[in-house]
Structure formats: structure tokens, C-alpha cells
Amino acid sequence: MAECIVIRVNGHAISVRDGITVAVALLQADELHFRTSVTGEPRAPLCGMGICFECRVTINGHTHARSCQILVREGMQVVT
Amino acid sequence: MIVVVGAGPAGIAAALRAQECGARVTVVDDNPAPGGQIWRGDSNVWLTRFRASGIPFIASARVITGDAQAQTLLVETPEGARKLTWDKLIIAAGSRELFLPFPGWTLPGVFGAGGLQALAKSGLSVADKTVVIGGTGPLLLAVAAYLRQHGAHVKLIAEQASPAGLAGFAKELLRNPNKLLQGVALARHIAGSPYVTNCWIESATGQGRLEAVTLRQGRRTWTERCDFAAIGYGLVPDNELATFLMNSPNVVIAGTGELNLAILEGEIAGFTVAGYPERALGLYGKREKAHRFATALQHTFALRHELKSLPRPDTIVCRCEDVTFGLLCEFPNSRAAKLHTRCGMGPCQGRICGPAAEFLFGWNPGSLRPPLFPAKIGSLMPATTE
Amino acid sequence: MDAQDHQYNIALPGTTIDALIVGAGIVGAACARELSLAGLKVTVCDESDVIGGGATAAGMGHLAVMDDSEAQFALTSYSQTLWHELSPQLPAEAEYLPCGSLWVAADAEEMEEVNRKFRFYSARAIRVELLDEQQIAEAEPNLRPGLSGGLLMCAASVCYPPCAAAFLMKRITFLPGRRVIAVSSDGVDFADGTRLAAGLTILATGTEITRLVPNAPVYPRKGHLLITDRYPGFLNHQLIELGYLKSAHSTESDSVAFNVQPRQTGQILIGSSRQYGTEDPATESHMLSRMLARAVEYMPGLTELSAIRTWTGFRAATPDKLPLIGPCESLNNVYLATGHEGLGIATSLATARLLADHILGRASAISLEPYLPGRRFAAHG
Ligand SMILES: Cc1cc2nc3c(=O)[nH]c(=O)nc-3n(C[C@H](O)[C@H](O)[C@H](O)COP(=O)(O)OP(=O)(O)OC[C@H]3O[C@@H](n4cnc5c(N)ncnc54)[C@H](O)[C@@H]3O)c2cc1C
Ligand SMILES: Cc1cc2nc3c(=O)[nH]c(=O)nc-3n(C[C@H](O)[C@H](O)[C@H](O)COP(=O)(O)OP(=O)(O)OC[C@H]3O[C@@H](n4cnc5c(N)ncnc54)[C@H](O)[C@@H]3O)c2cc1C
Ligand code: FES
């Protein structure tokens, strides 16, 4: 089994399996509000393959990061 | 140097065949690992051979533009932008799913069918999740089987095609024994999840996340509670790069939605581009057959007219810019709609709403300009050639 | 020709259209609105089926005041007043944003020019503020440190031109998909073989004017733009380097200048390039990268932002950098409203007002003289 690492989601530390994407980590933690649409709706991943941009979150201060394409790293700061 | 864009079945087959012929090959793909959509996280003969082949693989590399004259590609990687020079280019960029807007489709928890499978393959646990699958085509069955194997409770598979159409498909299967076996295997995995034809998801509801979907079959409508919905109305080729570089004689395009056809097209492209077209001769017959099968599939799973009336005036069509169906109805074509509503102006560059609008309104997609995919500004500045 | 003649023409028996406007860009749209408000029956035609689909779909929409010449100043400042008056009526999608614009001085020499502009505008009652090194850094934290200062043009704003044009065209009869191939004193011929009679015709065809009036001194001047994803707060004002003037004024060589704009969406629109001698609308990567490199010199943080799309457009340039507004020399009842180079959005409202004043025999706030199509031009450089 893969090892666990710790990332922070909106300030809360969560333990996740290494090797998974940020999108999977968030979904696994039952976080379904990834981004807020331009009219204020909550949105979550749709395509799972980097095309739709619905899974965007802020990672280590970088906005508009597509979480379905990025693997988790120890100490990563994720803001939805 | 042959550069192959895409490390799905077609790209891998192309690269391996070209290498067999003694050509120098490099493969680029925007995913961290080879495999493409279908083979994501799997292992099989092709992938194993590819990994052992020593063919350079540039991972997490998104092609952001290309130049047919200079024969270059600009790719963006986490380490920065790189310019690749090619003598021959094989584009095996695969496809994405077609999504048709319906009320509630923007709720978190509504995924693409392939999308949910991709997430599951990258580690999402679906055990004990209740899932409703809807849309059209054999992918729905594959996704259902995969999710069930991983512990999901697949309540229902809603297939919009009619049973009569499917009967035609079954006949086609009988002519392709391989397919039939695959089909039987799938059928075993989905036994227990009703496969309902003439049926589609009409709306999704929930407070801030998906709680239930409403289905329709003929006059009957009913509601199913679920954690996730997985929707897919077929595939749309990712042909932006191919269209952009089409005018170059040194560019070959390989691979379409269906697996066997993709592999065959990849192999043929690999042999041909490496200068040994005669080695591909034996494959043409098979490709013809695979092509016939793919055409039959398309025919069987042609989208029914009623799906055009799923969106209500307040249903969002463009998810990046939140443009509603009602607003779009006021415009004559995609360009007018784009300029006056921002439909398709967001970061997906119309990849999701464009094909939907094509189905709903018959609109042509807009023109292509670099970057073909959103890219860092730094990546669009002078890059060194390799 | 005096106003009386026109009154007569407008009432010409058998004509159902008082004024036909060829071109549904922002200039044609503004003319349509002015004449329609004056009570004329107006129709607008365009070869495309989109309102504002030409240069208007490509322009930055900076509603600026400029001081290249007194005549340019008069037109831009008058138009800015008109935009200001109109702004409360503009719909949300016109994205009117009164962000102000800021000329950026990189060194002492450019600061001299800032001082000159300050005196020029102050003397003409335009609200401007001088910023020193520290003030400009505070106004725009993402500019590189060490710039000398700048000039803030307080009343400048930006808009989204295609929707502004659509607003101006509201309730005006629009004939989409109709290309005019010939113009005469009593109407036009369309490519589909039909004719349309009109009391007067205004050619607001942008760069395409030479297809209808071959000797019009208008040349296409290509520009590139790039838009980013949404980064609210990254940029506060429209920023322009003083080197922009060198770029805008050079009449032969290709040039780029740092010219960035905050959109109401939080996006950043990055310009701009200027090229003569090409009519190919393709995005050219060498121009794009030159333009971006220039922008990054001023704002290093731009490199990390995500670019969504690039496009190009053609400005209708004239030899003396002033538009052509007024009667067409060779044809009665035909008027020109084109040649606005990089200021057609900004000056559309004043163009329309001046032209309507002229047609209707009303007094004008500023003189039309410098913009008359029949004026003398020095040989094109
Ligand atoms: C202030 C401002 C902000 C903007 N913001 C954004 C933004 O956020 N996102 C964004 O994406 N864009 C944005 N744009 C850009 C704008 O929408 C267009 O990208 C730009 O005007 C070029 O238009 P286009 O791509 O629709 O035109 P093109 O498609 O280049 O149109 C040129 C002409 O060619 C025709 N044409 C092109 N291809 C074909 C074809 N295959 N078959 C037949 N005809 C064809 C079109 O119909 C059209 O008449 C913005 C523009 C402005 C002015
Ligand atoms: C890169 C760039 C940046 C710019 N930035 C700014 C800025 O910040 N501020 C500013 O004020 N301006 C700016 N401009 C300039 C501005 O965009 C133009 O001056 C303005 O849009 C001109 O409007 P128009 O109505 O004259 O022309 P267009 O918008 O080009 O309209 C002309 C219309 O006429 C139609 N037409 C042409 N010929 C025919 C025919 N024979 N029959 C029927 N229809 C015809 C065309 O289809 C078109 O729709 C910029 C331009 C570019 C290219
Ligand atoms: S889920 Fe579509 S881009 Fe990540």
C-alpha cells in the first residue's frame, strides 16, 4: 500500500495516500466545492482529464490549478 | 526525428512500430504516465513493451502550439516550455467526452462517465457509493463494470438508444467474436444493474451537491437518489492540434474513439511515417473491419432528437462563463453568441460547450489560434529549440 | 453641400430609408443611434451577421484621451465626455469600468514627457495626477520596481466594445449578411444582386473602405492581443508605456509596446503590436512573443499567469493619424466615418455626433474641419 502524506485543505491538515491527484484527495475527503463559478455556484470535477477546468483550486498560492492533473505532495496547501 | 503527440493506444502503437523500423521517436503526453484515457493506470502488452522500449517519453507535457512550416511544437511542462523539432509528426491526441446540458448538470457530483472512471483509476474510492450512469454508447457499460468491480452500487444505466437500434448493434457484435466476448464479460460485471434503454437523465437536483436524478423513459419519469451521476453522450475527437497543423505533408493523424481502431491506426501511422508503408499492408483489412464496426457503433448510438430539449432557459451551457441556454437561443451562430455572451470565452476554450452547442444549435466551432490550450504567458515567450 | 439639401434628400419621395449605414462596428452603431435619436429612419447593414464583429471585436476598448495633435485631443476628449454621459445607461455586459489610465515612465527622459503631458492636460482642464516612483509602485504593485513615475489620467475608462456596439444598435433595423459592393448617391448595391435606396449613406466599413472608395487613404494596421484567465486585483489601471507613442507613431516598422488593461471580469488584456503590410489575420508567434516579452519587462509577474486566448485585428490607419469623418468627395449623399486607427472605440461617439450635426445642420461642440475626408494629406510615409 502506498504511503500516506499530509496536505492542508483550506487550512485543515488531512492525511492522503501518496500518488493520487489533488482532485481525488479532495473528493476522498468529501470536499465537493472545488471552485465557485462566475455566478456563484459550487463546482466540482467533470471531465477528470484536464479539459473542463471545473476542478480548479489554488495550490501553494497558484490560482486556477487543475487539481485532476496534479499529484499530491507533502505539505501542499490547497484552497478551494 | 518522429514526434508522437499522445501516449494512448494509438500513440503507443505508432511509436513502437516506428521504432521497430529503426526510426528515432519521442512521445509527449500531458498526463504524468503513458496510457491515455483507456489504459490509465493499467498494464497490458503494449504498455509493457512501451515502457521497455527506451522510447523517450515527455510526461506532463501539454502541446500548446505548433508550426507547420518550421516543423516545431511548443510544449509546456512543469519545468517550463520546450520547443521540439520534428521531421514527421504523428498526432494521436484521442478524444474527450461529449456532454449535453440538462438542468442540474453543473452540480458537484455529476461527472463525465469516463471522467468518474478516470478519477477512480487515479485513486478515488467508489466503494459503497450509489451511482446512476446515463448517456449513450458502450463506454457506459465499461464504466459500470469498472465501478461495480470497485465496490460501487450502480443503480441504473440509462441508455438513450432504442432497443431496436441495440439489436442491430448485437448483430454487428456477432460478426466480431472478440467484441462479443468482451461484451459477455462486461455483461457479467454489470449483472444486477438494470440497463434501461430509451431512457435518459432529465435533471439532477441537490443542495450544493448532487442528491438525486430524475430519469425519463417515454412518458414515465421517476427519481433515483444517488451520490454520483456519471454521464457521457459519446466522444468528441481532440482535433485542435491536428486541425491547426493539417496543411503540413509531414503530419499524420491517428486514432479515433474506438480502441482496436485506434491501435490499428497507430500501427499504420508508425510504419508509414518511418518509411515502411509495406509493413502496414496486412493491417488495412483489419482497419477496414474496425472502421465498419466503429461506424455501426455510431449509427446505433446516434443521439436522439429529444435530448435537444433537455436544457431549460436557465440551464447553463457554458460552464466557464455561466451562459444560459435561453440567452444563447437569441443568437444566430457561435461567433455572435461568443462575442455577445462570452460563451466559449473561458479557460476550456469552448471544449465543453462547443460540441454541446453544435448538437443543440448546429453551430460550427470557432477558429483556432495559439495557444491551442491555456498556457502560462512565460511559455509563449521565446523558447530554446531542442 | 449644405444642410438644406440633405433635408430634401431625406424626404425624397419613394425612399423608405432616410439613412443607410454600411458597417455594424462601433462607429456605424454610434452613427445609427445619433441619427435615429434625431428622428431619422435608420437601417444598418453588415456583411457579417454579427454586430461588432470586425475591428470592434478585436479592440481593447480603452476610452482614452490622447494628445498627439490638438485635433486628436479635441476628438478624444469630447468623446470621453460623451461616454461619461452615456455610461449610466450602458448594460452590464458592456463592462464599462472607470479604472483610469496610467502612463508609465521608465526613466528620467520619459519623466520629462510625463511632465509635458501633465502641463498639456492641466491647461485643458483634464483631470490628471503626477505619480512619483513610490506612488506608481503603490498604484500598481505588480509593476517592476525602479520605474520613474507616471501620469494618471483619472477620467479614462474601458469597455467591452461588441456589447457596447450592440447597445448602441438597440431598436435599429439591422440587415445582417449583406455585403455592399457599390455605392451611389441614392443607395447601395449588394453582392446578392439586390439594391437598397436611401436618402443618405454612411460608410462605416473600417479598413474595408478602399473596396468601396478606392482612393480613400486608409491602410490596415495589424495588432495582436492576448487575454488571461481571471486574476482580480492583479492590475488596477489601464497601463501604457511612454514608448507606446514611438510604437504608435512609427509608420513603417513593426513595433510592440507595453499596454495592459484590467477587465471587469478580473482578466487582463495584454497588448499591443503594430504591423503594416500584412492582411493575414493569423497570430504570429514571433510578434506575440515580442509583445509579451515587452509586457513582462514592465510586469514580471505576468509570466506566471495563464493565457486563455490570443487574437489579431486590423486598425484603419490614415497618413495623419486622424479619422475620415464627413462627406465623401466623389459622391453626393455619401459620408465616410472610418480611419480611426487605434482609437475607434474611444472616438466613436464623438464621430457620430459630429457627423449627425453636419448632416442635420446643427451646431457642433468642436470643429469637423480637421477630420474632413477631403483634407490634404502629406505623402504617405
Ligand atoms: C475586450 C475583449 C475581451 C475579450 N475577452 C476574451 C476572452 O475572455 N476569451 C476569449 O476567448 N476571447 C476574448 N475576446 C476575443 C474575441 O472573442 C475573439 O477572440 C476575437 O475577436 C476574434 O474573434 P473570433 O475568434 O471569434 O474570430 P475568428 O474566428 O478569427 O473570426 C474571423 C472571421 O472568420 C470567420 N471564420 C473563422 N473560422 C471560420 C471557419 N472555420 N469557417 C467559416 N468561417 C470562419 C468567422 O466567422 C469570422 O467572421 C475578447 C475580445 C475583446 C475585444
Ligand atoms: C489590437 C487593437 C487594439 C485596439 N485598441 C483600441 C483601444 O484600446 N481603444 C480604441 O478606441 N480603439 C482601439 N482599437 C481600434 C478599434 O478597434 C477600431 O478603431 C474600431 O473598432 C473601429 O470600428 P469601426 O466600426 O470603424 O470598424 P469595424 O468594427 O471594423 O466595423 C466595420 C464593419 O463594416 C463591415 N463591412 C465592411 N465592408 C463592408 C461592406 N462592403 N458591406 C457590408 N459591411 C461591410 C464589417 O463587416 C464590419 O463589421 C484597437 C484595434 C486593434 C486592432
Ligand atoms: S476535472 Fe475537468 S479539468 Fe479537472
Side-chain angles (χ1 to χ4, degrees):
Chain A
M1 268 279 75
E3 283 172 43
C4 280
I5 59 172
V6 174
I7 66 170
R8 282 183 171 271
V9 178
N10 298 325
H12 302 289
I14 61 168
S15 170
V16 300
R17 256 188 312 132
D18 199 3
I20 64 175
T21 61
V22 176
V24 167
L26 294 178
L27 290 169
Q28 208 75 285
D30 205 34
E31 174 58 77
L32 258 77
H33 187 158
F34 280 57
R35 73 171 192 112
T36 303
S37 81
V38 301
T39 59
E41 292 186 357
R43 294 286 167 78
L46 174 71
C47 75
M49 52 185 274
I51 299 283
C52 73
F53 286 73
E54 287 288 29
C55 65
R56 281 175 288 161
V57 294
T58 300
I59 296 180
N60 295 338
H62 292 281
T63 56
H64 306 302
R66 276 169 297 147
S67 59
C68 74
Q69 297 296 95
I70 297 171
L71 300 179
V72 290
R73 291 265 164 77
E74 180 70 46
M76 202 175 231
Q77 303 273 352
V78 180
V79 180
T80 62
Chain B
M1 166 68 84
I2 297 173
V3 172
V4 180
V5 177
I12 287 177
L16 285 170
R17 291 309 187 203
Q19 190 200 37
E20 273 172 33
C21 300
R24 270 178 60 221
V25 192
T26 296
V27 180
V28 294
D29 194 291
D30 54 352
N31 284 290
Q37 296 314 319
I38 294 190
W39 292 342
R40 186 186 289 267
D42 292 358
S43 69
N44 61 37
V45 193
W46 285 102
L47 272 175
T48 312
R49 272 191 60 201
F50 181 69
R51 290 201 188 96
S53 69
I55 295 174
F57 177 61
I58 309 179
S60 300
R62 174 76 72 171
V63 177
I64 52 182
T65 185
D67 186 331
Q69 244 96 61
Q71 307 210 141
T72 55
L73 286 182
L74 187 60
V75 300
E76 184 173 69
T77 71
E79 291 77 40
R82 297 167 66 169
K83 206 175 232 181
L84 301 177
T85 312
W86 41 270
D87 301 309
K88 303 274 180 186
L89 180 67
I90 298 176
I91 303 178
S95 14
R96 54 183 182 265
E97 280 181 283
L98 172 64
F99 298 106
L100 300 182
F102 59 88
W105 77 301
T106 55
L107 280 172
V110 177
F111 298 90
L116 184 55
Q117 187 181 29
L119 288 163
K121 284 186 174 179
S122 5
L124 176 66
S125 158
V126 291
D128 300 324
K129 297 286 184 194
T130 305
V131 186
V132 173
I133 298 178
T136 202
L139 180 69
L140 301 185
L141 298 176
V143 172
Y146 185 90
L147 295 177
R148 282 177 57 100
Q149 273 175 307
H150 290 79
H153 173 45
V154 175
K155 260 195 170 166
L156 178 91
I157 305 155
E159 166 59 62
Q160 58 96 39
S162 69
L166 289 178
F169 175 55
K171 232 187 280 157
E172 193 61 38
L173 277 183
L174 288 177
R175 275 195 247 146
N176 288 268
N178 272 339
K179 293 278 166 193
L180 188 62
L181 284 178
Q182 278 175 27
V184 170
L186 276 182
R188 216 176 27 242
H189 284 302
I190 63 166
S193 295
Y195 183 61
V196 188
T197 52
N198 268 341
C199 176
W200 58 89
I201 295 178
E202 198 168 58
S203 66
T205 48
Q207 283 301 317
R209 66 196 292 168
L210 178 71
E211 287 163 15
V213 294
T214 299
L215 294 126
R216 170 176 293 275
Q217 189 191 36
R219 296 252 172 83
R220 184 166 84 100
T221 63
W222 74 101
T223 297
E224 297 279 0
R225 298 194 65 79
C226 53
D227 300 308
F228 297 152
I231 322 278
Y233 280 99
L235 299 175
V236 185
D238 273 317
N239 59 6
E240 285 79 13
L241 181 65
T243 311
F244 193 66
L245 296 178
M246 209 157 46
N247 292 329
S248 167
N250 294 322
V251 175
V252 174
I253 295 147
T256 35
E258 207 269 325
L259 177 61
N260 285 334
L261 183 57
I263 296 176
L264 284 165
E265 289 209 337
E267 293 188 76
I268 292 173
F271 284 133
T272 311
V273 162
Y276 292 87
E278 66 279 7
R279 296 199 192 171
L281 285 179
L283 299 173
Y284 284 105
K286 287 191 203 163
R287 180 172 70 171
E288 188 49 38
K289 216 166 147 203
H291 202 81
R292 263 209 312 278
F293 181 73
T295 313
L297 273 187
Q298 251 173 22
H299 196 74
T300 304
F301 296 104
L303 296 177
R304 60 169 67 222
H305 203 69
E306 290 99 311
L307 299 172
K308 292 187 184 173
S309 39
L310 284 184
R312 289 197 291 251
D314 65 349
T315 302
I316 282 169
V317 175
C318 169
R319 300 172 64 121
C320 294
E321 298 291 328
D322 285 2
V323 184
T324 61
F325 179 70
L327 190 56
L328 292 178
C329 287
E330 294 172 22
F331 294 89
N333 56 41
S334 61
R335 183 155 195 264
K338 175 180 159 200
L339 283 176
H340 291 280
T341 69
R342 299 189 54 81
C343 180
M345 277 203 189
C348 95
Q349 296 179 325
R351 282 180 170 79
I352 304 295
C353 63
E358 198 172 344
F359 174 72
L360 293 171
F361 305 110
W363 290 349
N364 291 324
S367 59
L368 289 168
R369 257 174 265 109
L372 300 175
F373 202 86
K376 277 186 189 176
I377 286 177
S379 302
L380 297 170
M381 286 160 41
T384 45
T385 309
E386 292 169 36
Chain C
M1 190 174 294
D2 66 32
Q4 232 41 51
D5 291 333
H6 297 293
Q7 295 294 351
Y8 173 76
N9 281 331
I10 289 159
L12 201 69
T15 20
T16 53
I17 296 173
D18 297 334
L20 173 67
I21 293 163
V22 185
I26 193 130
V27 172
C31 292
R33 182 169 187 272
E34 273 303 328
L35 292 176
S36 156
L37 287 177
L40 273 67
K41 279 176 71 182
V42 178
T43 292
V44 179
C45 69
D46 199 295
E47 64 180 307
S48 100
D49 44 16
V50 186
I51 293 175
T56 300
M60 270 188 134
H62 180 202
L63 306 175
V65 173
M66 295 281 176
D67 59 9
D68 183 41
S69 60
E70 285 292 349
Q72 191 191 58
F73 171 75
L75 193 66
T76 50
S77 61
Y78 180 38
S79 213
Q80 195 175 72
T81 315
L82 297 176
W83 275 111
H84 194 75
E85 282 168 21
L86 186 68
S87 60
Q89 294 175 51
L90 288 172
E93 64 270 17
E95 295 179 17
Y96 183 82
L97 183 70
C99 56
S101 51
L102 186 48
W103 287 98
V104 180
D107 52 32
E109 191 190 333
E110 292 186 353
M111 208 53 202
E112 280 293 298
E113 175 60 11
V114 159
N115 284 310
R116 189 200 62 77
K117 280 180 181 294
F118 178 75
R119 290 189 301 273
F120 180 94
Y121 289 122
S122 303
R124 288 161 183 79
I126 299 292
R127 261 176 55 224
V128 283
E129 281 171 30
L130 267 181
L131 305 189
D132 64 17
E133 182 177 340
Q134 194 188 334
Q135 287 164 323
I136 197 166
E138 279 162 16
E140 289 296 345
N142 282 306
L143 277 173
R144 80 170 142 83
L147 294 164
S148 300
L151 182 76
L152 179 62
M153 314 273 302
C154 307
S157 45
V158 305
C159 73
Y160 178 60
C163 287
F167 165 77
L168 296 169
M169 286 272 291
K170 248 189 181 161
R171 286 186 287 276
I172 307 265
T173 311
F174 179 45
L175 298 178
R178 303 290 284 276
R179 185 157 77 84
V180 171
I181 53 166
V183 198
S184 60
S185 57
D186 56 3
V188 300
D189 292 334
F190 291 113
D192 62 7
T194 58
R195 304 203 62 191
L196 191 63
L200 66 91
T201 302
I202 298 178
L203 302 179
T205 55
T207 52
E208 301 294 291
I209 189 66
T210 48
R211 286 197 301 183
L212 298 173
V213 183
N215 60 350
V218 172
Y219 317 89
R221 202 173 187 195
K222 183 173 176 177
H224 285 75
L225 291 176
L226 176 148
I227 197 143
T228 69
D229 209 332
R230 298 172 186 240
Y231 298 95
F234 187 90
L235 179 67
N236 304 317
H237 307 84
Q238 168 103 28
L239 302 183
I240 323 134
E241 65 161 304
L242 277 158
Y244 171 86
L245 297 172
K246 293 175 210 135
S247 162
H249 293 178
S250 135
T251 45
E252 45 242 56
S253 60
D254 296 352
S255 60
V256 296
F258 169 62
N259 185 357
V260 296
Q261 178 179 92
R263 306 291 314 161
Q264 209 175 52
T265 52
Q267 292 172 285
I268 296 162
L269 184 50
I270 304 177
S272 58
S273 67
R274 282 181 150 79
Q275 291 167 275
Y276 275 118
T278 167
E279 294 189 28
D280 176 7
T283 299
E284 295 162 62
S285 42
H286 71 283
M287 280 313 282
L288 186 68
S289 55
R290 256 182 81 186
M291 179 180 100
L292 294 175
R294 189 72 183 159
V296 165
E297 264 178 55
Y298 281 83
M299 287 201 132
L302 287 174
T303 46
E304 287 300 309
L305 307 193
S306 175
I308 287 186
R309 201 162 167 78
T310 62
W311 65 91
T312 65
F314 292 90
R315 310 169 180 93
T318 63
D320 63 2
K321 296 159 211 134
L322 292 174
L324 308 176
I325 311 170
C328 174
E329 284 226 291
S330 48
L331 287 167
N332 282 345
N333 309 328
V334 177
Y335 299 84
L336 305 189
T338 179
H340 294 82
E341 218 272 351
L343 288 170
I345 314 296
T347 58
S348 55
L349 297 185
T351 297
R353 180 69 61 86
L354 290 182
L355 192 55
D357 289 345
H358 176 81
I359 289 170
L360 301 164
R362 301 185 306 211
S364 285
I366 64 169
S367 165
L368 182 63
E369 196 73 33
Y371 324 110
L372 287 173
R375 68 183 181 269
R376 292 216 151 275
F377 293 97
H380 176 54

